[in-house]
Amino acid sequence: MSEAPTPEPRSPEAAAAVVEDGEDASLLHPEQLISDLLRYGVAASLALVTLGTVVTFFRHPDYLVSSEALLRLTSPHPVPHTLGDVVAGALAARGQAFVMAGLLVMMAVPVMRVALSLLIFRQQKDRLYVGITATVLAMLVLSFLLGAAH
């Protein structure tokens, strides 16, 4: 008896082009979409925090040798507190603004995951989970809008 040759694994592009049961298989699976969102969101956040740290120590090398200078860096006063401050600081190539942008991206990733889940459930026409996910997303957005740090 001869064994049937095992099929070679397909590339993701080739696998996505396959059409099964009349459905367009070019769309990624929901789990893959969510996984990619989380992976790339965390990577972007890490890249921004790393860039901000490098820029900060490049522009202020005295932070590495002077405890007084490092104390100025870690004081709460010069840290951007609003989104406008973060954008303005990033445009001015301030390291702390990049670090803060990275932290904001890290906070936004779970919210974007909920929003993506809402779109996926809507595409699947799952009304119950659309309602639940929409409620969770509304509560998240409302908490960001109403929350204030003093």
Side-chain angles (χ1 to χ4, degrees), residues 75-87 96-97 100 104 149-150:
S75 70
H77 177 66
V79 176
H81 289 289
T82 66
L83 189 57
D85 291 343
V86 172
V87 170
Q96 289 180 331
M100 188 61 71
L104 289 173
H150 295 279

Side-chain angles (χ1 to χ4, degrees), residues 11-145:
S11 68
E13 294 83 16
V18 175
V19 176
E20 298 173 355
D21 297 331
E23 292 184 33
D24 184 7
S26 64
L27 299 175
L28 292 174
H29 295 288
E31 298 84 11
Q32 185 66 44
L33 287 171
I34 291 169
S35 173
D36 287 347
L37 171 70
L38 296 174
R39 180 180 302 115
Y40 296 129
V42 169
S45 175
L46 178 62
L48 285 167
V49 170
T50 302
L51 174 66
T53 303
V54 169
V55 167
T56 297
F57 284 103
F58 181 76
R59 291 182 68 183
H60 303 282
D62 56 322
Y63 289 159
L64 295 170
V65 293
S66 170
S67 56
E68 291 88 20
L70 189 59
L71 186 59
R72 282 194 321 266
L73 172 67
T74 58
S75 70
H77 177 66
V79 176
H81 289 289
T82 66
L83 189 57
D85 291 343
V86 172
V87 170
L91 292 174
R94 291 192 191 105
Q96 289 180 331
F98 285 114
V99 171
M100 188 61 71
L103 295 176
L104 289 173
V105 167
M106 182 58 72
M107 289 173 21
V109 166
V111 178
M112 291 187 298
R113 188 246 189 263
V114 174
L116 179 59
S117 295
L118 177 64
L119 294 175
I120 290 169
F121 291 138
R122 186 170 176 255
Q123 180 188 21
Q124 295 173 347
K125 296 178 175 59
D126 190 337
R127 288 185 175 176
L128 175 62
Y129 282 103
V130 166
I132 292 169
T133 308
T135 302
V136 170
L137 184 60
M139 290 176 15
L140 285 169
V141 170
L142 188 65
S143 70
F144 281 126
L145 295 175

Side-chain angles (χ1 to χ4, degrees), residues 1-5:
M1 292 207 289
S2 67
E3 292 183 30

